[in-house]
Amino acid sequence: MSGTHQATYLGMPAFPAAADASTRNTQLRANLRHATHTIRAKRATAVAELDDWSPLRAAGAAIKDRTLRHLDHYLEQLESAVTAAGGHVHWAADADEANRIVTELVQATGEREVVKVKSMATQEIGLNGALATAGITAYETDLAELIVQLGDDLPSHILVPAIHRNRGEIRDIFAEKMAEWGRPAPEGLTDAPADLAEAARLHLREKFLNAKVGISGANFMVAETGTLVVVESEGNGRMCLTLPETLISVVGIEKVVPTFQDLEVFLQLLPRSSTAERMNPYTSTWTGTTDADGPRTFHLVLLDNGRTDTLADTVGRQALRCIRCSACLNVCPVYERAGGHAYGSAYPGPIGAILTPQLRGIQSELDASLPYASSLCGACYEVCPVAIDIPEVLVHLRERVVEGGPVSIRGTRTVIKPAKGHAAERAAMRAARWALDHPRVLRTGQRLASRTRRFHPRRLPGPGRAWSDTRELPKVPEESFRDWWQRTRGESGTEGRKTT
Amino acid sequence: MTPQDPGSQSTQRPGTQSTQNPGAHSPQNPDTQGPGSRALVMARIRRALADVPRAETPDAVPVERTYHRVHGDRTPTETVDLLAEHLADYRAIVHRADAPSLPALIARLLADRGATSVAVPPGLPDSWLSAVPDAVRRVPDTAELTPHDLDAVSSVVTACAVAIAETGTVVLDAAPDQGRRRITLVPDHHICVIRVPDQVVDSVPEGLERLDPGRPLTWISGPSATSDIELDRVEGVHGPRTLEVILTGSPAGPETAGQS
Ligand code: SF4
């Protein structure tokens, strides 16, 4: 990874500029389009198999709401249960503290190498960079994360982080870089996916068999029992969770669920929303440590890093329900065009547009522009398995950008001014304009759900207001933004223009 | 809200091993203000939840469980058939055998793969491997077995804790007839025997009900797979490349049915 930890994505241009650059990259867009459309179609089929999807989704949202409204209670319960089962619990108020805790835990083992399961939380805090600074090498073991790591690149999708790379590029990365990190790629490596997977298997097996320390995140933590859950496909998760002597899991405090039974809801919602499978190939659960089976030492690092600030916002709080399935990315017309990197954080797509500005605040131009990285078409809300009303939060955050208001920053209630005055306004303006200038982005969005109709931009909220005040915006009780666009601008005109 | 001092460690149950380690909150360096961070985060949470009425208990937040316990109405035989179908959908190879023919089938599957060694959980019924020739080395699952040792093992044979038909999943809970988690992970070929119909349930909710969260659980739905390269599915990245499932039961099961 280039740059220092924490700064992983900092220094990124604001969303519109980054998005503009990526929409000019035809390879990226073709890869993204293929991938998102494929997963989207498969997901619809997998979901249709369950005729109780809607009550499942409602239960998923309700369980998370219950947890969030009583988060202190559930975290205390979790801590007791994990400790009783032989684990050690640590609390990290921010990224630096989490990184320091993990670094010290690794140093205490005397090891200089760790194997890692793909984890959004450790991406978010820039753990790999922090470890590198301390002379510890972290090996990513998810195939896509490996591709990203070897390519000195950044992930661009929650589920398939290397979605922006095609097989030819992957072959070249493996052939060039594997030797620097361990076992070299086989001679004459082809770009057949099976060959590439085999090269990764051989390269990583060496690491798994020798690893003394594993680092993971978790999809869920059960308060009642202290059980952690990792959902995966490849088996690299199982390797990292069971072969090392020490396991360190860094998990956001919002990942707790009250009871073991609650997993019945999430283990139905998550795989179908995420990989569009009835069930992912592997799910591992562990409760503390077990004699002679798996790591002898288990550390859980509970991460705040902006989550409590998000919790303090009664509208934005729902973003903490997210189970990171990535379904919202795959239906988002803006994500499809812009690509994951444009969002400048570990969380791309619609969820990134509402989560990042809450976790990090809206002080930077990039973060202030994120609530504008959307056409408000409502498709993300429709697919979200825990019913996060992303458009509602986007509009709410746009208001915050323009008008300021009460927020919580590192736990302290404060009233902020409109974000960095003109710079942020310009960024947000450019973002709104960027979306409006990319009609296909809007047109390919799914039809507005009727319940999102209240978000139709009679006047654009936020900095877009000045812009919309000088233009005729639709009176739209019935018509979707998309239809309006098509009607007023038509198929021709800018629609056909090349963006490459 | 829990009316507890946020900085208190009194929530830790008595008699736990790790509480005597103050480093549980701040590893190594006592200056990292670990306990301070616990109090800090808890205090932030309580402030953030100022809108939640003090008197509200967690249970007062409604969670309606109106979703189905089971999707569809099946006879036990239909449930087993559905399991077989869904396992095969995700590239597990499914076989059926009655109790008398089980040892011969296991021996044949190992021979077909050219297995020279097989990892054996301590509680695996003796009869299951009774037809496997002595030339196939038995590798008992013991604490001394290292990952490197296991890497040299061809196959593993285990039982399971429960199987879920609707999702095509077998769940292992590290009981003596299944062994430690690593033995079904490192070897490239896993033969898993499911007793039907007793060990088969319809749905995820029914499956969870049968499981003990205190045990390490591994849910397996087909062999290891990745779709990270242009979304082409490839089997066998890190776990076993081949998962063979044997459905074995007394009730007049057909003779060995071979691959589906
Ligand atoms: S916001 Fe919803 S759809 Fe998007 S990743 Fe999170 S859970 Fe999935």
Side-chain angles (χ1 to χ4, degrees):
Chain A
M1 278 301 137
S2 53
T4 57
H5 50 98
Q6 270 294 42
T8 314
Y9 297 83
L10 297 186
M12 287 274 308
F15 181 83
D20 215 41
S22 28
T23 53
R24 282 165 217 284
N25 180 338
T26 33
Q27 179 69 65
L28 171 98
R29 277 185 30 229
N31 292 0
L32 267 182
R33 188 184 153 76
H34 166 67
T36 55
H37 284 247
T38 308
I39 306 176
R40 196 197 293 190
K42 279 177 63 191
R43 180 200 157 272
T45 314
V47 165
E49 238 182 58
L50 299 186
D51 58 2
D52 59 342
W53 188 255
S54 157
L56 271 170
R57 183 177 184 243
I63 292 168
K64 285 283 189 174
D65 280 348
R66 170 182 286 184
T67 317
L68 291 171
R69 285 177 76 86
H70 295 278
L71 192 57
D72 50 345
H73 165 78
Y74 288 115
L75 287 171
E76 282 180 342
Q77 205 187 356
L78 175 78
E79 181 185 50
S80 300
V82 169
T83 308
H88 305 266
V89 179
H90 312 263
W91 298 75
D94 56 25
D96 284 343
E97 187 173 20
N99 287 332
R100 189 171 68 236
I101 292 171
V102 176
T103 304
E104 288 175 8
L105 289 170
V106 177
Q107 281 166 341
T109 66
E111 294 296 316
R112 313 214 64 116
E113 294 185 348
V114 301
V115 287
K116 274 192 72 208
V117 195
K118 170 171 172 280
S119 129
M120 304 298 300
T122 58
Q123 274 289 344
E124 174 191 321
I125 62 174
L127 177 65
N128 290 8
L131 290 172
T133 308
I136 298 163
T137 309
Y139 296 111
E140 291 292 347
T141 65
D142 171 80
L143 177 50
E145 291 282 358
L146 174 72
I147 295 165
V148 168
Q149 184 172 53
L150 294 177
D152 196 16
D153 194 0
L154 291 168
S156 65
H157 190 281
I158 292 176
L159 172 69
V160 267
I163 201 167
H164 55 290
R165 299 285 199 182
N166 59 26
R167 60 185 73 189
E169 295 175 300
I170 297 168
R171 194 212 74 90
D172 294 345
I173 291 170
F174 280 10
E176 250 172 62
K177 293 290 183 59
M178 267 187 176
E180 285 171 31
W181 291 79
R183 182 175 171 143
E187 284 293 313
L189 179 65
T190 77
D191 66 2
D195 283 358
L196 296 171
E198 179 67 15
R201 179 184 178 100
L202 295 169
H203 177 79
L204 287 172
R205 189 152 280 228
E206 184 178 273
K207 309 252 185 301
F208 292 132
L209 297 182
N210 296 316
K212 298 281 183 286
V213 182
I215 294 180
S216 83
N219 295 88
F220 308 101
M221 307 184 284
V222 181
E224 164 192 57
T225 58
T227 306
L228 270 76
V229 182
V230 163
V231 170
E232 53 136 357
S233 293
E234 295 175 9
N236 65 304
R238 294 181 64 194
M239 294 274 183
C240 296
L241 299 172
T242 58
L243 296 185
E245 288 163 10
T246 300
L247 172 61
I248 303 166
S249 300
V250 182
V251 190
I253 50 175
E254 83 285 12
K255 292 283 178 102
V256 66
V257 299
T259 67
F260 192 62
Q261 192 204 343
D262 291 330
L263 295 177
E264 74 189 15
V265 174
F266 298 108
L267 289 181
Q268 294 191 77
L269 289 174
L270 179 55
R272 287 180 204 258
S273 297
S274 178
T275 53
E277 292 168 303
R278 295 188 186 104
M279 188 63 80
N280 46 287
Y282 296 131
T283 297
S284 297
T285 79
W286 71 98
T287 306
T289 52
T290 308
D291 285 345
D293 185 353
R296 280 191 296 256
T297 310
F298 168 56
H299 295 278
L300 171 60
V301 181
L302 293 171
L303 177 71
D304 179 348
N305 203 34
R307 283 158 178 76
T308 47
D309 292 340
T310 310
L311 190 69
D313 185 313
T314 50
V315 177
R317 179 182 296 167
Q318 57 185 313
L320 297 176
R321 286 187 209 146
C322 176
I323 56 174
R324 315 275 189 258
C325 72
S326 76
C328 59
L329 277 60
N330 299 327
V331 296
C332 178
V334 175
Y335 172 84
E336 180 188 323
R337 302 275 299 209
H341 293 154
Y343 295 79
S345 89
Y347 307 103
I351 181 60
I354 61 167
L355 194 58
T356 307
Q358 296 199 83
L359 293 178
R360 294 204 296 224
I362 49 170
Q363 286 77 14
S364 80
E365 197 177 345
L366 169 66
D367 293 336
S369 73
L370 284 175
Y372 294 85
S374 167
S375 64
L376 297 182
C377 77
C380 48
Y381 168 71
E382 295 282 294
V383 295
C384 178
V386 284
I388 300 172
D389 196 336
I390 296 176
E392 180 186 20
V393 183
L394 284 166
V395 170
H396 171 71
L397 293 174
R398 287 181 188 190
E399 257 170 48
R400 177 180 297 171
V401 170
V402 199
E403 280 159 24
V407 293
S408 179
I409 298 177
R410 285 182 290 281
T412 305
R413 286 285 186 177
T414 176
V415 175
I416 56 162
K417 296 200 186 92
K420 273 205 193 146
H422 299 306
E425 274 199 36
R426 271 201 316 276
M429 264 301 291
R430 285 210 311 268
R433 205 185 273 269
W434 179 82
L436 292 167
D437 279 348
H438 290 70
R440 204 182 289 154
V441 166
L442 300 173
R443 203 169 62 78
T444 53
Q446 293 186 356
R447 189 169 293 272
L448 272 173
S450 55
R451 73 166 303 300
T452 61
R453 205 168 278 150
R454 61 197 160 106
F455 299 117
H456 279 247
R458 189 179 300 275
R459 299 165 82 207
L460 289 175
R465 184 168 299 161
W467 182 85
S468 59
D469 280 349
T470 65
R471 282 161 182 78
E472 196 188 320
L473 277 180
K475 305 173 203 73
V476 274
E478 303 295 332
E479 193 178 35
S480 75
F481 195 6
R482 186 186 97 174
D483 292 344
W484 165 77
W485 186 279
Q486 204 150 345
R487 186 168 54 76
T488 54
R489 291 259 177 128
E491 275 294 321
S492 56
T494 56
E495 163 57 24
R497 96 188 166 148
K498 284 219 172 75
T499 52
T500 51
Chain B
M1 301 289 90
T2 320
Q4 190 152 29
D5 167 16
S8 145
Q9 294 198 24
S10 63
T11 51
Q12 287 169 341
R13 286 176 199 162
T16 56
Q17 312 296 47
S18 50
T19 46
Q20 67 248 35
N21 172 11
H25 289 292
S26 60
Q28 314 324 311
N29 178 1
D31 299 333
T32 47
Q33 37 156 300
S37 291
R38 182 189 192 278
L40 179 68
V41 174
M42 278 296 182
R44 284 179 183 175
I45 291 173
R46 285 168 187 149
R47 271 204 303 279
L49 294 172
D51 61 305
V52 177
R54 290 220 145 237
E56 183 182 296
T57 60
D59 290 344
V61 186
V63 175
E64 286 193 34
R65 297 185 193 270
T66 50
Y67 51 87
H68 306 325
R69 303 266 340 134
V70 174
H71 298 88
D73 186 16
R74 301 175 200 98
T75 64
T77 311
E78 285 167 344
T79 299
V80 172
D81 289 347
L82 187 70
L83 172 68
E85 189 189 311
H86 283 171
L87 280 165
D89 260 8
Y90 283 117
R91 319 277 168 85
I93 303 168
V94 182
H95 311 270
R96 297 184 190 237
D98 59 15
S101 60
L102 179 64
L105 176 61
I106 291 176
R108 177 170 70 75
L109 297 180
L110 290 172
D112 285 353
R113 294 266 313 179
T116 55
S117 56
V118 56
V120 186
L124 199 78
D126 286 342
S127 65
W128 289 8
L129 296 183
S130 58
V132 178
D134 291 342
V136 178
R137 188 165 55 95
R138 269 63 162 180
V139 181
D141 174 30
T142 63
E144 289 73 53
L145 197 60
T146 68
H148 283 279
D149 296 336
L150 270 174
D151 194 35
V153 173
S154 324
S155 302
V156 57
V157 179
T158 71
C160 74
V162 67
I164 301 169
E166 286 182 5
T167 56
T169 306
V170 291
V171 187
L172 309 185
D173 71 356
D177 58 2
Q178 297 148 52
R180 292 178 306 156
R181 287 171 279 177
R182 60 180 55 183
I183 68 166
T184 53
L185 174 61
V186 182
D188 202 20
H189 178 218
H190 179 195
I191 299 175
C192 182
V193 179
I194 304 173
R195 297 181 173 94
V196 301
D198 322 357
Q199 288 190 314
V200 186
V201 297
D202 278 286
S203 63
V204 171
E206 289 184 341
L208 271 171
E209 226 167 58
R210 288 215 196 173
L211 293 164
D212 173 359
R215 308 187 70 91
L217 305 176
T218 305
W219 298 47
I220 301 175
S221 309
S224 152
T226 184
S227 301
D228 280 346
I229 303 163
E230 295 184 20
L231 298 178
D232 268 3
R233 189 174 166 102
V234 179
E235 267 94 35
V237 202
H238 305 301
R241 269 180 276 225
T242 310
L243 172 66
E244 302 206 65
V245 171
I246 303 178
L247 306 174
T248 186
S250 33
E255 290 286 297
T256 307
Q259 276 95 319
S260 61

